């Protein structure tokens, strides 16, 4: 059982690379952003709660995210692997995930961090906003806030896993296939 954290700032290519990882390894994809967007489109209570944070580019409160992930993990007990995409985004989320996995006799196998310069991220997010319809991909102020939140609240999560010797940085600029090959090398080096 592989538990992979796919890490990186907004626009780093986590969604694109997740699809390729799923196709190759058959892992289950657990994207908290996708889950929130689904709740939003279905108009659930959780969706309404998340909306005000998402639209501003702020993080949804930890306890809300952790509860949602906890329920989702238990839906897929027999998966060969899970990709955590967009989660954990704060150190308390990482601590909660470690505790949750430990209670199931599991642990994080490794974190792959896609590293992309800030200017390139802004270009990619604006481009995605032309077709994604995502409010948080379209306004300069929201894009900038998401990157600021990432720098302040999410980067410490990479240090959290680095301290456990689980952080694998991957250069996230270049050919999609080259980046994917580097990700596969990292995954293949994880202890089983
Ligand atoms: P993403 O699609 O991963 O960029 O997520 C879109 C938005 O959903 C983020 O800007 C946050 O508002 C919210 N979100 C997604 N994942 C998390 C998380 N792990 N913690 C807090 N908020 C999250």
């Amino acid at each position: 059982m592989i538990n992979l954290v796919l890490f990186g700032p907004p626009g780093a290519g986590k969604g694109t690379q997740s699809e390729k990882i799923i196709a190759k390894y058959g892992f289950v994809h657990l994207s908290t952003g996708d889950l929130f967007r689904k709740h939003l489109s279905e108009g659930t209570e959780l969706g309404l709660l998340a909306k005000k944070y998402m639209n501003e580019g702020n993080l949804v409160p930890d306890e809300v995210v952790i509860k949602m992930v906890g329920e989702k993990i238990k839906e897929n007990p027999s998966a060969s692997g899970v990709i955590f995409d967009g989660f954990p985004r704060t150190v308390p989320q990482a601590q909660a995930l470690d505790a949750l996995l430990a209670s199931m006799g599991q642990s994080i196998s490794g974190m792959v961090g896609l590293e992309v310069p800030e200017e390139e991220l802004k270009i990619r997010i604006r481009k995605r906003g032309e077709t994604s319809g995502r409010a948080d991909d379209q306004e300069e102020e929201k894009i900038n806030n998401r990157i600021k939140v990432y720098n302040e609240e999410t980067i410490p999560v990479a240090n959290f896993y680095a301290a456990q010797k689980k952080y694998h940085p991957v250069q996230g600029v270049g050919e999609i296939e080259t980046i994917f090959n580097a990700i596969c090398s990292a995954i293949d080096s994880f202890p089983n």
Side-chain angles (χ1 to χ4, degrees):
M1 172 84 192
I2 297 283
N3 287 299
L4 163 69
V5 178
L6 188 57
F7 186 79
K14 299 189 293 294
T16 304
Q17 293 295 340
S18 285
E19 284 175 21
K20 296 179 72 66
I21 297 167
I22 293 160
K24 177 167 175 178
Y25 295 93
F27 294 167
V28 168
H29 188 211
L30 203 161
S31 156
T32 43
D34 284 354
L35 289 173
F36 283 132
R37 279 184 288 277
K38 185 160 183 284
H39 277 281
L40 222 122
S41 71
E42 290 170 354
T44 67
E45 206 177 311
L46 178 57
L48 286 176
L49 189 152
K51 186 178 176 182
K52 60 178 191 285
Y53 297 99
M54 293 174 78
N55 280 352
E56 297 305 318
N58 289 322
L59 295 183
V60 178
D62 285 340
E63 60 276 14
V64 176
V65 189
I66 291 164
K67 182 166 175 275
M68 180 176 75
V69 171
E71 286 163 5
K72 204 72 199 167
I73 287 180
K74 291 184 180 115
E75 280 176 21
N76 297 292
S78 60
S80 64
V82 177
I83 308 171
F84 295 96
D85 169 357
F87 178 87
R89 253 181 164 96
T90 64
V91 170
Q93 289 182 18
Q95 288 164 333
L97 180 60
D98 272 3
L100 192 69
L101 291 175
S103 75
M104 297 163 67
Q106 296 180 35
S107 60
I108 288 299
S109 313
M111 168 189 263
V112 170
L114 293 172
E115 301 193 337
V116 178
E118 218 165 280
E119 280 317 305
E120 170 72 15
L121 294 173
K122 290 181 186 169
I123 295 167
R124 290 187 189 179
I125 296 171
R126 272 188 231 115
K127 189 149 180 272
R128 182 170 69 188
E130 289 168 13
T131 52
S132 72
R134 283 176 56 171
D136 61 348
D137 278 349
Q138 290 175 10
E139 278 173 44
E140 204 61 22
E141 202 183 313
K142 290 175 185 172
I143 296 172
N144 287 339
N145 190 43
R146 280 160 73 205
I147 293 175
K148 179 170 172 274
V149 167
Y150 172 80
N151 287 333
E152 290 173 1
E153 299 185 51
T154 305
I155 284 189
V157 178
N159 303 331
F160 177 86
Y161 288 108
Q164 298 182 20
K165 309 250 180 300
K166 290 180 178 174
Y167 183 65
H168 302 257
V170 166
Q171 161 79 260
V173 182
E175 292 291 324
I176 290 177
E177 210 53 39
T178 311
I179 300 167
F180 179 58
N181 287 337
I183 294 173
C184 293
S185 300
I187 295 173
D188 295 340
S189 76
F190 291 169
N192 262 310

